[in-house]
Amino acid sequence: MQRAVSPYLCHVLVCTNDRHGERKSCADGQSVLLREQLKDAVAQRPHLKGRVRVSAAGCLGLCARGPNVMLYPQAIWFSGVTPADLPQLLEAVEAAAAAPAP
Ligand code: FES
């Protein structure tokens, strides 16, 4: 095992967990589409290349509040997110990537 500092200033974790209707999960609320949109939007911003990573995450534990998106290491949590929130999410990602790492 090797230990290293994260290469990303901001890692965006989008819960895409899908329980297929057995009980509430973030995929019920278009989180898969949201992750794709976020990933595309970040890729279209060259200044974020190598600084921000958008990843699908399994359950983040607050399913009832989902869809959930977490920015790490900023410890910013968004709940009840929809694709319509993309501009606000990008604003937060831009701010996180611009600030010095905590
Ligand atoms: S299913 Fe997304 S937080 Fe649990």
Side-chain angles (χ1 to χ4, degrees), residues 15 17 19 25-26 59-63 68:
C15 176
N17 190 36
R19 296 192 176 98
S25 57
C26 290
C59 180
L60 297 172
L62 296 180
C63 320
N68 293 296

Side-chain angles (χ1 to χ4, degrees), residues 4 13 29 36:
L13 302 174
E36 289 171 11

Side-chain angles (χ1 to χ4, degrees), residues 1-71:
M1 178 173 81
Q2 294 180 332
R3 179 177 166 151
V5 173
S6 170
Y8 306 112
L9 291 176
C10 179
H11 204 148
V12 184
L13 302 174
V14 182
C15 176
T16 57
N17 190 36
D18 190 350
R19 296 192 176 98
H20 306 287
E22 287 178 23
R23 64 183 175 101
K24 185 174 169 54
S25 57
C26 290
D28 298 344
Q30 295 185 291
S31 66
V32 173
L33 173 63
L34 177 67
R35 186 195 71 90
E36 289 171 11
Q37 291 176 334
L38 260 173
K39 208 167 175 64
D40 288 347
V42 167
Q44 289 168 12
R45 290 164 171 76
H47 61 286
L48 297 181
K49 185 177 169 72
R51 301 166 64 92
V52 173
R53 179 82 183 178
V54 178
S55 298
C59 180
L60 297 172
L62 296 180
C63 320
R65 297 188 200 170
N68 293 296
V69 176
M70 188 178 81
L71 274 55

